[in-house]
Amino acid sequence: MRATVIHGPHDVRLETVPDPVIRRPTDAIVRVVASCVCGSDLWAYRGVRQTTEPSRIGHEFVGVVEEVGADVRTIRPGQFVIAPFSIADGTCVHCRNGVHTSCEQLAWWGSPDHDGIPSDAGQGEYVRVPLADGTLVAAPEHPSSELLPHVLTLSDVMGTGHHAARSAQVGPGSTVVVVGDGAVGLCAVIAARRLGAERVVAMSRHADRQRLAERFGATDVVAERGADGVARVRDLLDGIGADSVLECVGTKESMQQALDSARPGGRVGFVGVPAGGPELPVQQMFSTNVSVGGGVAPVRGYIPELIDEVWSGAIEPGLVFDLVLPLDEVAQAYAAMDERRATKSMLLP
């Protein structure tokens, strides 16, 4: 089959790799119907995260089950499934507590699984899925081509934006600031409104993303950054800052922007993959009573909560995909996101 392999900075190739096979009785084989490029993939693409040898890449995909191992009980051939960005058994204490990204058998797409067997990554034609019953979520039916992009967001960005909002304790009547206008930040706007936020300020410098944020429910847009951005936020929110701030970037600057935008006693929910050395200023947090929560999003636990609203059209997170390319053009999909010509690239076989 064909799959995406990263060789180094700005060097992504589609190559022929071995077809996946059932390696243990809890596995499933999934034919990928759609995958995509994540903003976190760009850390390796840009060389921020070093690639020491050619590696499979991609962690967001949906598809159709082709085959299952003898011990798979809830997933069946022919089902359309959503694969969250981490592999989990669904039964350990951490999964039962809703933190699937801390599963006792946790593994990541493109890396060795819990038994040391290499796992396929998502940007390819087929994937061997370990722990299929715990990892995969079966959809109600096969989605239409129009619904497909929205369903694909459940593998990562919609659930991650939702985790930011949950971690920041967004609730009815909240005032919210979203730091970051990538796919996760835009989905965080959806999540904040869905949880009852009365006012949502999207921090964005890009006109196309500003328009999409407003379509998703942002009531205000702030283009300024740093002290000017904080001043503008406070002007909009009665001079005190936001109840909840959703940090969806992962840099030192974005975290500081988030902390400075929260009101005293407010809360920051962070989901941006850390890069560029973000650290928490404990003295500031102590002085302002601003608390911080979040981390890598356990999206597997959120899919059942979100899937019905995606299926009904109540939310349309798939609008974050503004570039759709065949898998053959995966290198262009990466370049477009790296150069900010695309918010998020979707790949079709």
Side-chain angles (χ1 to χ4, degrees):
M1 70 168 187
R2 300 174 307 159
T4 304
V5 178
I6 185 166
H7 288 255
H10 300 93
D11 187 2
V12 168
R13 310 175 196 176
L14 189 66
E15 299 182 352
T16 300
V17 302
D19 292 341
V21 296
I22 298 291
R23 301 289 294 270
R24 67 169 67 80
T26 51
D27 289 347
I29 303 298
V30 173
R31 173 174 55 85
V32 177
V33 172
S35 62
C36 53
V37 180
C38 183
S40 63
D41 294 331
L42 297 181
W43 296 132
Y45 184 76
R46 292 167 175 162
V48 175
R49 184 181 300 123
Q50 188 176 7
T51 300
T52 57
E53 60 183 16
S55 304
R56 299 279 295 279
I57 192 168
H59 55 259
E60 301 162 278
F61 67 94
V62 295
V64 176
V65 179
E66 296 285 303
E67 183 182 358
V68 298
D71 290 347
V72 175
R73 297 288 178 259
T74 62
I75 298 298
R76 303 184 306 276
Q79 286 182 316
F80 190 94
V81 291
I82 301 156
F85 65 76
S86 63
I87 297 162
D89 62 23
T91 59
C92 78
V93 62
H94 305 305
C95 290
R96 296 197 305 272
N97 284 333
V99 192
H100 296 75
T101 44
S102 292
C103 176
E104 292 177 348
Q105 299 191 77
L106 177 69
W108 307 100
W109 304 113
S111 300
D113 68 14
H114 53 285
D115 286 332
I117 300 174
S119 296
D120 298 303
Q123 293 166 14
E125 295 180 313
Y126 292 87
V127 175
R128 179 184 70 85
V129 178
L131 302 170
D133 284 330
T135 299
L136 298 173
V137 178
E141 58 186 348
H142 288 235
S144 65
S145 58
E146 293 77 18
L147 186 59
L148 181 62
H150 307 301
V151 178
L152 180 57
T153 66
L154 295 176
S155 66
D156 186 345
V157 292
M158 185 60 229
T160 298
H162 181 68
H163 187 55
R166 285 288 190 197
S167 298
Q169 299 180 355
V170 175
S174 295
T175 56
V176 177
V177 169
V178 179
V179 179
D181 63 356
V184 170
L186 291 166
C187 287
V189 173
I190 296 175
R193 293 293 282 182
R194 180 180 172 273
L195 292 173
E198 180 176 304
R199 198 158 186 187
V200 178
V201 180
M203 303 197 78
S204 172
R205 293 171 171 169
H206 305 92
D208 55 341
R209 301 183 187 194
Q210 292 172 355
R211 289 191 293 270
L212 189 52
E214 289 172 340
R215 179 168 177 173
F216 284 164
T219 56
D220 305 271
V221 172
V222 169
E224 297 88 348
R225 290 292 181 272
D228 291 341
V230 173
R232 180 62 180 144
V233 165
R234 293 187 184 279
D235 285 345
L236 291 169
L237 302 179
D238 300 324
I240 63 170
D243 299 321
S244 303
V245 184
L246 316 185
E247 191 286 309
C248 303
V249 182
T251 65
K252 180 178 180 180
E253 293 77 12
S254 62
M255 179 59 80
Q256 192 62 55
Q257 187 79 67
L259 289 163
D260 293 345
S261 298
R263 67 165 173 79
R267 188 168 177 87
V268 172
F270 77 103
V271 294
V273 178
E279 296 179 357
L280 293 178
V282 174
Q283 182 62 56
Q284 177 183 358
M285 295 164 62
F286 181 83
S287 299
T288 61
N289 280 281
V290 170
S291 56
V292 176
V296 58
V299 300
R300 173 61 178 81
Y302 294 138
I303 294 173
E305 177 180 349
L306 298 170
I307 192 169
D308 288 344
E309 292 183 37
V310 166
W311 225 266
S312 71
I315 58 175
E316 298 182 297
L319 294 175
V320 298
F321 293 108
D322 51 0
L323 180 63
V324 180
L325 292 172
L327 188 59
D328 288 341
E329 298 181 26
V330 64
Q332 289 84 343
Y334 273 80
M337 287 180 62
D338 179 49
E339 297 163 8
R340 290 189 175 273
R341 292 183 284 109
T343 301
K344 192 166 180 66
S345 302
M346 180 174 169
L347 298 166
L348 300 176

